[in-house]
Amino acid sequence: MKLSKNFSLSELIKSPTADRYDISNAPSMEHLVNLTVLTHKILQPCRDKFGVVTVNSGYRSPALNTKVGGSKTSQHCNGEAADFECFTIPNPDLAKWISKNLEFDQLILEFYKQGDPHSGWVHCSHRKDGSNRKKIMTALKQGKRTVYKEGFIV
């Protein structure tokens, strides 16, 4: 099922973890609507500008989200968020482009390592009701913990 010109439902719900542990990752109709909006508002514009977008994580069922250690309030569980990369542009530059050109709720440069332009990935969410906060953060590992800092830290 196509969600936009270049994105299919299968790439927004694929999960090796779900496959490995036989966890259902089937979205509800509400999740499907949210995923469709996400592809049109965030992923497709990135694809149109930079070429192929690789989605590392899209929708996560609650069981899958628990298994991967996701936040209990993760927008992935609502079909409102995706983690992705474009290999034609460094992740910090992709995140900065999104911040200047697209409407989003949360934009997080996750686990970027200075000097390695394609390290980490970009997490971006979008709420279809228009209550998008335009919150920008960087996720960093400090020991075994993940720490979120305001803004882009590159």
Side-chain angles (χ1 to χ4, degrees):
M1 166 189 256
K2 285 285 216 182
L3 299 179
S4 71
K5 182 173 90 174
N6 296 108
F7 291 92
S8 66
L9 176 60
S10 62
E11 62 191 308
L12 273 290
I13 64 170
K14 75 175 183 331
S15 168
T17 302
D19 293 343
R20 188 176 313 116
Y21 293 100
D22 198 27
I23 297 170
S24 173
N25 200 39
S28 70
M29 185 55 70
E30 178 69 16
H31 299 139
L32 185 57
V33 169
N34 291 340
L35 287 167
T36 301
V37 172
L38 179 68
T39 59
H40 283 269
K41 298 291 188 177
I42 303 297
L43 299 174
Q44 191 64 51
C46 290
R47 167 66 193 248
D48 292 344
K49 179 74 174 168
F50 301 110
V52 174
V53 171
T54 301
V55 177
N56 303 323
S57 181
Y59 172 72
R60 293 185 203 144
S61 67
L64 176 58
N65 192 59
T66 297
K67 190 68 172 174
V68 299
S71 164
K72 291 180 182 180
T73 60
S74 174
Q75 288 179 282
H76 286 279
C77 296
N78 300 326
E80 295 176 330
D83 298 337
F84 58 96
E85 301 174 72
C86 297
F87 294 105
T88 61
I89 182 171
N91 287 325
D93 296 344
L94 174 60
K96 288 174 187 171
W97 182 85
I98 292 168
S99 74
K100 293 176 182 158
N101 294 283
L102 302 179
E103 183 68 28
F104 60 90
D105 186 50
Q106 285 190 338
L107 178 60
I108 308 171
L109 179 60
E110 297 201 55
F111 310 114
Y112 169 72
K113 292 180 182 137
Q114 245 180 351
D116 184 358
H118 296 289
S119 61
W121 57 86
V122 173
H123 167 99
C124 193
S125 64
H126 184 276
R127 293 177 174 171
K128 71 178 182 295
D129 67 5
S131 64
N132 293 298
R133 300 170 287 172
K134 293 198 86 125
K135 187 171 186 177
I136 297 173
M137 295 181 287
T138 300
L140 305 163
K141 278 286 185 198
Q142 289 187 348
K144 294 184 180 188
R145 293 185 20 211
T146 299
V147 176
Y148 292 89
K149 306 265 185 172
E150 292 292 323
F152 294 129
I153 299 170
V154 291

